[in-house]
Amino acid sequence: MREAAALATRHVGGDLAARDHGLVWHPYAPLNGPVPYAVSSASGVRLSLECPDDSSAEVVDAMASWWCAVHGYRHPVLDAAAHRQIDDFSHVMFGGLTHEPAVELAERLVAMAPGPMAHVFFADSGSVSVEVALKLTLQYQAATGSPGRQRFLTIRGGYHGDTFAAMSVCDPVDGMHSAFPGVLASHVFAPRPPMATVDADGVWSTDETAFVQWAADFRALAEVHARELAAVVVEPVLQGAGGMRPYDPRCLQVMREVADEHGVLLVADEIATGFGRTGRLFACEWADVAPDVMCVGKALTGGYLSLAAVLMSSRVGAAITESSFGALLHGPTFMANPLACAVASASLDLLRDSWSQNVSRVDAGLRAGLSAALKLDSVVGVRTVGAVGVIQLGGPVDVPAVTAAAVRNGVWVRPFRDLVYTMPPYVCTDEDVAIICAGMVAAVREVHG
Ligand SMILES: *Cc1c(COP(=O)(O)O)cnc(C)c1O
């Protein structure tokens, strides 16, 4: 009773963060977790914040809103695309209907994707696109005479989303498997590929012995499980939320070869890596590998609206269509939301003209700016790949303290585990990137030494 009364009184007056606290769930947080910062406005690469201590701050968004807002906020081209579409229609069902924004976006996606992608399924979030991708590989296997192939092969350290099938292929230790014993399907986990580095010219280095060993282990594991596998599911070249770990593109080539040898599909989860983030338009391009199925999301709409897509080859599409299923068995209510599709096409236009130069520039700025962190006692490593910069500490980050220190230094970060990292908007100027790097280094130094 007292708790209910306390929750109720929070609705009356008080500032926004206080009204939020205890009422609205935040990602991976308890109801009584740290009081959130309130955003009063966002423009370009900057957020205006009301802080828990009642101060306000303007910060450079080093997170690009969880890696999505690659063009920054209130971009005039994206705002105009959204306005235009709202004046037409915001949403219609996709069952039995179609519309220009969906068809145009699908045409663009298949044209830009690595390999011969022929078909597009629009989903409403990254996790749902992973569900659809996994489901369609099962349908493919059943359609081509292998209904018993129902397991997935992946690598440890992965992250593919929070819905149940997606969770089941996340890292079995660091993911949330232990919270749902008996509920998640059990899949096959190969070791993590050895961590690799890539220099400013795009040349990768990895420990050769470790690579050879990993490839042998991966092949051996696939061999053991070959007849029960439907697909290899993997984040190409950079594992994101599982630990911000780049790995040698040759590992992806090994996965492609193994998939082909065993009649298994290769699903590339490009939700984090797609649209230029790693320094290639899609991370698969580092390995010159064409997946059979590819998920994109996050930056797809430039961070404006929730939208994801599953792309697939004609072989996969044809097998499902010609099977006794006769259909891909999925159909979200908000499938191919016209508003999201229209903004996504506008975002792809902006990317086409600018992503490559911008990502190289941000890459150079991160390399120069984050190296200062190597001098700190608490830091064990610094790494960058494309527009991704990571400071790794020797132990867990004090997230609220580092967040507050970064805000005081003019930067918004959201650290996790032992990592303080940035995946900034591509449109950051050199000065913005320098502010991000200096703010990250200062925050780590102030809190962890
Ligand atoms: C974020 C992410 C997802 C999940 O996307 P949501 O839109 O949060 O559901 C899946 N895979 C990867 C690689 C991601 O980074």
Side-chain angles (χ1 to χ4, degrees):
M1 273 310 280
R2 263 184 49 208
E3 200 147 301
L7 287 174
T9 54
R10 286 206 187 98
H11 293 273
V12 186
D15 64 358
L16 186 64
R19 280 160 53 207
D20 171 293
H21 199 60
L23 174 66
V24 190
W25 290 101
H26 284 261
Y28 317 109
L31 281 169
N32 61 356
V35 175
Y37 294 70
V39 178
S40 46
S41 66
S43 180
V45 301
R46 285 176 168 71
L47 305 174
S48 297
L49 301 180
E50 306 292 335
C51 305
D53 66 2
D54 284 340
S55 64
S56 23
E58 195 186 64
V59 290
V60 178
D61 181 9
M63 297 285 93
S65 279
W66 266 343
W67 329 344
C68 301
V70 291
H71 310 294
Y73 303 96
R74 302 237 40 203
H75 193 290
V77 171
L78 301 187
D79 282 8
H83 285 134
R84 258 198 317 277
Q85 188 58 40
I86 280 193
D87 289 341
D88 263 355
F89 52 93
S90 294
H91 183 68
V92 293
M93 66 189 283
F94 211 52
L97 298 176
T98 193
H99 45 77
E100 179 68 28
V103 176
E104 184 185 338
L105 179 58
E107 287 169 347
R108 285 168 187 260
L109 288 173
V110 297
M112 76 196 292
M117 291 294 166
H119 314 291
V120 180
F121 185 101
F122 287 113
D124 28 23
S125 74
S127 300
V128 172
S129 76
V130 171
E131 297 287 324
V132 171
L134 299 181
K135 184 187 275 185
L136 80 83
T137 68
L138 300 181
Q139 284 196 245
Y140 170 86
Q141 294 294 357
T144 53
S146 305
R149 288 176 172 268
Q150 295 186 340
R151 295 182 82 193
F152 305 113
L153 171 61
T154 185
I155 51 180
R156 289 181 182 271
Y159 177 79
H160 298 284
D162 292 346
T163 53
F164 276 89
M167 242 192 324
S168 73
V169 286
C170 292
D171 186 85
V173 179
D174 292 334
M176 293 174 279
H177 291 224
S178 59
F180 305 100
V183 180
L184 294 182
S186 108
H187 297 301
V188 182
F189 291 90
R192 269 190 143 161
M195 188 138 70
T197 57
V198 55
D199 70 15
D201 298 324
V203 179
W204 289 81
S205 324
T206 195
D207 181 279
E208 194 60 23
T209 316
F211 166 71
V212 170
Q213 183 64 52
W214 177 86
D217 290 348
F218 189 86
R219 286 180 189 285
L221 192 66
E223 194 84 39
V224 170
H225 295 280
R227 295 161 65 89
E228 45 177 356
L229 294 178
V232 173
V233 183
V234 74
E235 292 160 278
V237 178
L238 176 71
Q239 294 186 297
M244 298 289 160
R245 280 171 56 112
Y247 64 85
D248 194 317
R250 287 180 301 164
C251 297
L252 193 63
Q253 290 168 345
V254 170
M255 295 183 225
R256 177 72 271 182
E257 285 163 24
V258 165
D260 289 341
E261 281 159 23
H262 295 302
V264 166
L265 296 177
L266 178 64
V267 178
D269 179 349
E270 292 255 14
I271 293 168
T273 51
F275 308 111
R277 180 59 70 179
T278 68
R280 291 289 179 272
L281 190 53
F282 295 97
C284 284
E285 294 172 19
W286 281 112
D288 216 1
V289 154
D292 302 296
V293 179
M294 183 170 110
C295 296
V296 294
K298 287 207 162 86
L300 175 58
T301 65
Y304 267 52
L305 291 138
S306 181
L307 183 70
V310 188
L311 280 62
M312 69 208 76
S313 66
S314 56
R315 171 168 69 112
V316 173
I320 292 172
T321 299
E322 289 156 18
S323 72
S324 56
F325 298 115
L328 207 173
L329 300 176
H330 216 94
T333 305
F334 282 92
M335 187 166 182
N337 174 252
L339 192 51
C341 289
V343 176
S345 281
S347 172
L348 296 183
D349 270 346
L350 290 175
L351 279 178
R352 185 188 52 217
D353 300 336
S354 64
W355 78 268
S356 179
Q357 308 88 294
N358 279 344
V359 170
S360 313
R361 199 172 40 75
V362 171
D363 185 350
L366 294 176
R367 282 172 198 279
L370 290 181
S371 59
L374 284 168
K375 297 196 202 83
L376 302 180
D377 291 339
S378 60
V379 171
V380 296
V382 168
R383 50 188 181 265
T384 63
V385 45
V388 182
V390 185
I391 301 175
Q392 184 161 11
L393 275 59
V397 179
D398 180 340
V399 174
V402 168
T403 304
V407 168
R408 283 197 301 277
N409 284 281
V411 177
W412 177 249
V413 289
R414 183 73 183 161
F416 68 103
R417 286 192 228 147
D418 54 353
L419 306 173
V420 181
Y421 74 96
T422 176
M423 291 179 61
Y426 301 169
V427 296
C428 280
T429 62
D430 289 346
E431 196 198 352
D432 298 327
V433 177
I435 291 171
I436 288 173
C437 294
M440 288 169 65
V441 174
V444 172
R445 187 180 54 235
E446 285 169 28
V447 176
H448 292 279

